[in-house]
Amino acid sequence: MWDRKREAFSTYKRLSLKDNSNSIDMEDNSAHLQNGKDFEASNPSWSLSLPHVLVATLTSFLFGYHLGVVNEPLEIISADLGFNGNTMAEGLVVSTCLGGALIGSLLSGWVADGVGRRRAFQLSALPMILGAGMSAMTKTLAGMLLGRLFVGTGMGLGPPVASLYVTEVSPAFVRGTYGSFIQIATCLGLMAALLIGIPVKEIADWWRTCFWVSTIPAALLALAMVFCAESPHWLYKQGRTEEAETEFEKLLGGSHVKSALAELSKFDRGDEPDDVKLSELLFGRHFQGSIIAMLLMDRLGRKLLLLWSFSGMAVAMALQVVAGSYHSSDSGALYLSVGGTLMFVLMFALGAGPVPGLLLPEIFPSRIRAKAMAICMSVHWVINFFVGLLFLQLLEKMGPQLLYSGFATFCLIAVAFVKRNVVETKGKSLQEIEIALLPQE
C-alpha cells in the first residue's frame, strides 16, 4: 500500500513536469496575469458550468423550503387536522422530516456512486413530490407525518449529492463561489416558504397550496437534470472515458478537455477495489453572510473563512452569556441577545455554513468521496435532531450562561482544530488536493 502511494506520488511529479512544459499552472502564474484576456486563456469559462450548478442547487432550495413550509401554517394545520394544542404532535410535524433526512443522507453516497449524480438528483426529487402531495391532500395527522417522512428522505438525499456534483463539475478557480450557491439557495428556499405562507390565515386551506407549490421546483429539478452534464469524475471511475471527455467539453470547453482528463489520469486508482468498508470511512483520513462567503471563498480561501466564522460565533455566544447575566426585563440584555443572535447567524453563514459542504468533497479521495459524504451528512442530521430536541430542556436546567458558555467553548475548539488540521484547497484541482493529503515519509 505504501509502495503504491509513493509510486503514485512520483508518477504525479513526473507527469506534472511534462505537463508544465505545455501549459501554464494557474496558481504559479496568477501574479503575472495582468489583464482579463490572459486570465481567461488560462482558465475555462465559468459560464459553461454555471447552468449545471444552478440546476443542482434546486435541491438546496427545496431543502430550505421544506424546512420552513410548516412554520407559518402550523397552527392552522393543527386545527384542520384535529390535533390543536397537542405540542408533541406539532413537534412531530416539524421534525419528522429530519428522520427521513437521516435515512436519505445515509443512502446518498451509495445512490450517487451506483446510478450517477444526475439520476441521484432525480431520485431525490421523487419522494419530495410524492411527500408534498400526500401532505397537501391528507385529512389526518398520520397522513401528514407520512408525507413529511417522504419529503425528508428526498431532503437528506439531495444536498450531499449537490455538494459532490458542484465540486466535481466546477472549474477550480470558481469552485468556492459555486459552492456558496448551495447555502444561498437554502436561504432563498426558507424565504420563499415564509413569503408563500403569508396568506395562510386569510385563505382557507392555503397551507395545502404551500405544499403543492414545492412540487414545481422538484419537478423542474428532475426534468432539467436530463439536460445537465453527468459528473466526469463519476464517469471516469466507471471506465467510461469517452463520455467523461464529452461532459468535460460541455463544462470546460474543448480546449481544456485534454488537460482535465490528464488531471484525472495522474492519480488513477483504478487498481483499487471500489468497495469501501465502514471502518475506512469512519477512521480514514444567512443570506448576507452567504453572499459574502461567495465573494470571498476563492479569494481568501476556505481555512481563513472557517477561522473567522468560528471565532465570530464564539464572540456571539459570549454576548449571549453577558445578556443572560442581566434581568430579562433589562433593555440592555435584550439588545445584547438580539445582537448576539444576528451576529451568530451572519458568522455562521460566512464560513461554518457553506464551507464544510464544499471542503468535505474536496478533501476526500475520489474512491470514497460519495460514501464519506453520506456518513458526514448523517452525523450532521443526528446532531441537528438532538440539538433541536434538547435545547429548550438544557436551557431550562442549565441556564443561559452555562449553556451558551458551552457553545462558545465548542466554537473555540473548532478554531483550534481548523488552525491545526484543515488544509487550504483554494485554486487546486481535486487530484492535486488528493496528492497533497497523502502521508509523507
Side-chain angles (χ1 to χ4, degrees):
M1 184 65 180
W2 292 103
D3 292 338
R4 188 185 302 144
K5 289 182 176 178
R6 285 197 297 269
E7 182 181 350
F9 185 73
S10 61
T11 302
Y12 171 79
K13 290 194 291 185
R14 290 197 303 271
L15 288 171
S16 294
L17 291 172
K18 182 178 178 181
D19 289 341
N20 285 341
S21 65
N22 300 314
S23 63
I24 300 174
D25 182 80
M26 181 187 65
E27 287 194 329
D28 290 343
N29 292 276
S30 59
H32 304 290
L33 298 177
Q34 300 298 323
N35 55 63
K37 186 178 292 185
D38 290 338
F39 183 79
E40 196 169 15
S42 65
N43 289 298
S45 173
W46 56 267
S47 60
L48 294 176
S49 54
L50 180 61
H52 307 270
V53 171
L54 292 178
V55 172
T57 56
L58 280 174
T59 190
S60 299
F61 177 88
L62 286 161
F63 172 81
Y65 187 92
H66 283 294
L67 280 181
V69 70
V70 297
N71 289 350
E72 188 69 24
L74 184 58
E75 184 179 346
I76 308 297
I77 292 173
S78 62
D80 288 353
L81 299 186
F83 58 91
N84 192 23
N86 186 338
T87 55
M88 175 62 73
E90 291 176 353
L92 286 172
V93 170
V94 174
S95 61
T96 297
C97 64
L98 299 179
L102 174 60
I103 297 171
S105 61
L106 282 171
L107 297 174
S108 62
W110 283 264
V111 172
D113 274 346
V115 302
R117 310 324 189 210
R118 288 195 309 172
R119 289 183 180 175
F121 278 118
Q122 293 171 322
L123 288 174
S124 75
L126 182 60
M128 284 193 276
I129 293 173
L130 292 175
M134 293 168 65
S135 295
M137 294 186 295
T138 188
K139 303 288 186 181
T140 65
L141 172 62
M144 173 61 71
L145 296 181
L146 184 60
R148 293 289 284 167
L149 186 66
F150 267 76
V151 164
T153 304
M155 286 171 57
L157 177 59
V161 179
S163 294
L164 284 171
Y165 185 79
V166 171
T167 299
E168 292 174 345
V169 305
S170 302
F173 75 103
V174 291
R175 194 188 305 129
T177 301
Y178 285 175
S180 297
F181 288 180
I182 294 174
Q183 182 77 6
I184 293 171
T186 303
C187 294
L188 290 175
L190 281 164
M191 293 167 61
L194 294 175
L195 289 173
I196 291 172
I198 288 175
V200 71
K201 294 182 180 179
E202 284 75 32
I203 303 175
D205 284 341
W206 182 255
W207 63 268
R208 299 182 187 274
T209 303
C210 295
F211 284 108
W212 281 122
V213 167
S214 70
T215 62
I216 298 173
L220 182 61
L221 171 65
L223 179 63
M225 267 298 152
V226 175
F227 305 99
C228 287
E230 180 55 90
S231 165
H233 293 256
W234 180 78
L235 290 169
Y236 189 84
K237 282 177 60 181
Q238 307 302 309
R240 296 155 63 176
T241 308
E242 291 183 3
E243 293 177 57
E245 185 174 348
T246 301
E247 303 298 1
F248 268 133
E249 187 171 357
K250 290 181 187 177
L251 296 165
L252 306 177
S255 60
H256 294 274
V257 171
K258 289 186 178 179
S259 60
L261 284 174
E263 283 289 336
L264 285 178
S265 64
K266 280 176 186 176
F267 203 58
D268 182 11
R269 287 188 167 189
D271 58 333
E272 294 189 17
D274 276 342
D275 294 334
V276 182
K277 296 179 180 179
L278 182 62
S279 58
E280 189 175 355
L281 290 175
L282 294 177
F283 304 109
R285 279 178 351 140
H286 259 87
F287 189 61
Q288 292 88 344
S290 300
I291 294 291
I292 297 171
M294 178 188 72
L295 298 174
L296 298 180
M297 191 95 73
D298 285 313
R299 288 182 172 84
L300 301 180
R302 286 60 153 157
K303 186 171 184 175
L304 188 58
L305 284 182
L306 283 175
L307 290 172
W308 286 3
S309 179
F310 284 118
S311 298
M313 289 160 63
V315 173
M317 290 295 96
L319 292 178
Q320 296 285 12
V321 172
V322 175
S325 64
Y326 291 94
H327 294 293
S328 58
S329 59
D330 195 310
S331 60
L334 176 62
Y335 288 129
L336 279 175
S337 180
V338 172
T341 300
L342 292 176
M343 182 180 181
F344 186 90
V345 172
L346 176 63
M347 299 308 297
F348 175 83
L350 179 67
V355 172
L358 173 69
L359 185 63
L360 287 172
E362 284 183 326
I363 64 175
F364 284 126
S366 59
R367 188 171 60 90
I368 66 168
R369 185 175 294 136
K371 297 179 178 67
M373 278 295 293
I375 297 294
C376 290
M377 292 303 294
S378 299
V379 172
H380 160 77
W381 283 114
V382 170
I383 300 300
N384 208 18
F385 174 80
F386 280 108
V387 169
L389 182 66
L390 300 176
F391 175 76
L392 291 177
Q393 298 179 49
L394 290 174
L395 184 62
E396 182 180 344
K397 292 182 179 180
M398 298 172 62
Q401 290 176 293
L402 184 58
L403 180 60
Y404 289 125
S405 295
F407 288 159
T409 301
F410 277 110
C411 291
L412 293 175
I413 291 172
V415 171
F417 177 85
V418 170
K419 190 170 183 179
R420 179 180 175 84
N421 298 295
V422 173
V423 297
E424 183 53 71
T425 61
K426 178 187 69 172
K428 298 179 181 178
S429 71
L430 298 180
Q431 287 67 42
E432 289 171 333
I433 297 168
E434 190 168 342
I435 288 289
L437 291 174
L438 284 174
Q440 302 296 320
E441 290 191 355

